[in-house]
Amino acid sequence: MNILKAGFIKDFIKIADDGYKMGWHECNGGNLSYRLREEDIELLRFSLEASGPFINIGTRVPDLAGDYLAITGAGSFFRNISLSAYDNIGIIQINDRGDAYRLWWGLASGRGPTSELASHLMIHSVKKRANKDGQRVLYHCHPVNLIALSFVLPLSNKVFTRELWEMMPECPLVFPEGLGLVEWMLPGSLDLALATSQLMEKYNGVIWAHHGLICSGEDFDASFGLAHTIEKAAQILVKVLSMGQGKVQRPRARDLKALSDTYKLKLGQEFLIDND
Ligand code: 13P
Ligand code: ZN
C-alpha cells in the first residue's frame, strides 16, 4: 500500500495545510504527531521497513514501548508538508525499553523528528495511560493572538482559562477542563516536556508563554479544533483589550454554571469564581 494514501497521512497533511493557512506556522514553526492505531499498522505492515539504528530519546516513555508514531521532522516547514510529505513526515517506532526510536518511513530529507520530540512522547504517554484508545493527535502551533496575550495577561491557568471562556460559549464547551500554562521555557527542552506533560494529566491544551500552544485530541479534528477555538477566543480578547475600555460587561460565574448545567459540562470548579 502507498503510505501516502493511508487515511491518517491524508488527515495529517490536511491539518498541516490548514494550520499553515491560518498563519500559525512561520518557517519551521510548529510540529504534529499521531500515535498509530493497530489497524493503521496492520494496513501498512508490508509497506513499512525499519531503517537505521535506534536513536536515544533522552527520556523514557515505557508506556509507548512498541508504538508507532507519525511525526513532523525537525526544521520541516508546514507549508511544504503537502508538497513533499515523504521528506517532511516520518513514521517512527519506540523500542521495548521506551528510551529510543527507529525510523520506518519518511523523513527522506535526512532530518530527525521534531526538536519537541520529548514533549510529544511524554504527552502521548500521559494520554495513553489515561485511556489506551483515547487521544492520539498532538498539535503544536504558534498562533499570533494567544502569544500576544502571554505578554500582557498574568501567566496563570486560572486567568487564561477564565478570560478565554468568557469570550464565547464555545470555549467552555470545547475545553471544559480549562487550559494549562507554562512560563517561557527553552524550546525543545526536557524541562518544557516535563512541565507540559504534567499539565496534560488534567488539560488538553497547554499554552507555552511567548511561544505557542500544544493541543491534544482523539483525532485530527479534535486537536485542530481545540487550537482554532482557543486562538479565536484570544483574537476576540485582543480586540476587546485594544478598544481601550477594558470589558464593560461580560458573562459571570453564574452564567458559566448555567451553561455547565444545561450542557452537562464538567467545568473546572477553580475557574468558576468571580474575582470582582
Ligand atoms: P521543529 O522544527 O524542531 O519541530 O521546531 C519547531 C518549533 O516550533 C519548536 O517549538
Ligand atoms: Zn514552537
Side-chain angles (χ1 to χ4, degrees):
M1 156 145 193
N2 179 349
I3 292 184
L4 292 172
K5 296 226 159 77
F8 73 88
I9 291 282
K10 286 188 191 162
D11 289 345
F12 195 111
I13 293 171
K14 181 173 186 303
I15 296 298
D17 264 348
D18 290 348
Y20 174 67
K21 286 178 193 142
M22 298 301 290
W24 302 341
H25 298 285
E26 74 294 338
C27 289
N28 63 307
N31 26 76
L32 176 63
S33 67
Y34 167 72
R35 185 166 61 82
L36 271 67
R37 295 177 182 281
E38 283 298 325
E39 52 266 35
D40 299 321
I41 300 162
E42 196 49 42
L43 198 69
L44 301 182
R45 204 145 55 96
F46 300 109
S47 315
L48 294 171
E49 197 180 343
S51 72
F54 278 103
I55 296 171
N56 224 294
I57 295 166
T59 182
R60 281 200 72 212
V61 284
D63 293 297
L64 301 184
D67 280 357
Y68 290 84
L69 295 107
I71 194 158
T72 48
S76 289
F77 283 33
F78 266 51
R79 69 181 287 265
N80 290 337
I81 289 177
S82 63
L83 301 173
S84 176
Y86 187 54
D87 283 321
N88 293 294
I89 308 173
I91 296 180
I92 59 170
Q93 187 190 22
I94 309 300
N95 69 353
D96 290 343
R97 287 158 46 96
D99 60 3
Y101 72 87
R102 182 159 59 158
L103 184 65
W104 282 75
W105 177 86
L107 293 181
S109 55
R111 300 184 177 105
T114 171
S115 58
E116 305 288 5
L117 181 66
S119 278
H120 281 258
L121 296 182
M122 287 169 81
I123 300 168
H124 276 298
S125 189
V126 163
K127 295 301 183 187
K128 186 180 175 188
R129 261 201 312 275
N131 177 359
K132 197 160 119 0
D133 293 318
Q135 304 199 346
R136 289 174 178 274
V137 178
L138 296 179
Y139 174 52
H140 165 53
C141 55
H142 296 173
V144 182
N145 295 283
L146 188 69
I147 296 171
L149 286 177
S150 74
F151 288 87
V152 295
L153 291 184
L155 296 178
S156 79
N157 304 349
K158 216 169 192 160
V159 170
F160 270 78
T161 299
R162 185 57 193 268
E163 290 286 344
L164 296 178
W165 271 5
E166 287 178 9
M167 291 301 110
M168 49 181 192
E170 206 60 25
C171 289
L173 288 163
V174 172
F175 51 95
E177 61 290 321
L179 296 173
L181 183 139
V182 291
E183 298 199 5
W184 190 90
M185 283 187 168
L186 189 66
S189 64
L190 264 184
D191 285 345
L192 177 61
L194 193 64
T196 308
S197 59
Q198 278 168 357
L199 286 167
M200 281 285 187
E201 300 268 2
K202 192 164 177 191
Y203 306 111
N204 293 322
V206 174
I207 299 158
W208 288 350
H210 323 312
H211 178 166
L213 171 67
I214 186 158
C215 290
S216 169
E218 64 259 28
D219 56 25
F220 290 91
D221 279 344
S223 266
F224 188 82
L226 176 56
H228 197 181
T229 307
I230 293 168
E231 171 58 4
K232 181 166 179 187
Q235 188 177 10
I236 299 170
L237 185 53
V238 166
K239 284 184 191 290
V240 171
L241 298 176
S242 306
M243 289 179 209
Q245 305 177 61
K247 289 188 224 160
V248 176
Q249 55 270 328
R250 61 196 177 98
R252 312 296 298 171
R254 64 171 179 275
D255 301 315
L256 296 169
K257 280 182 193 141
L259 188 76
S260 171
D261 292 344
T262 304
Y263 291 95
K264 309 278 177 281
L265 306 175
K266 287 193 184 127
L267 290 189
Q269 294 302 304
E270 66 273 37
F271 308 125
L272 284 176
I273 299 155
D274 287 331
N275 286 325
D276 55 345

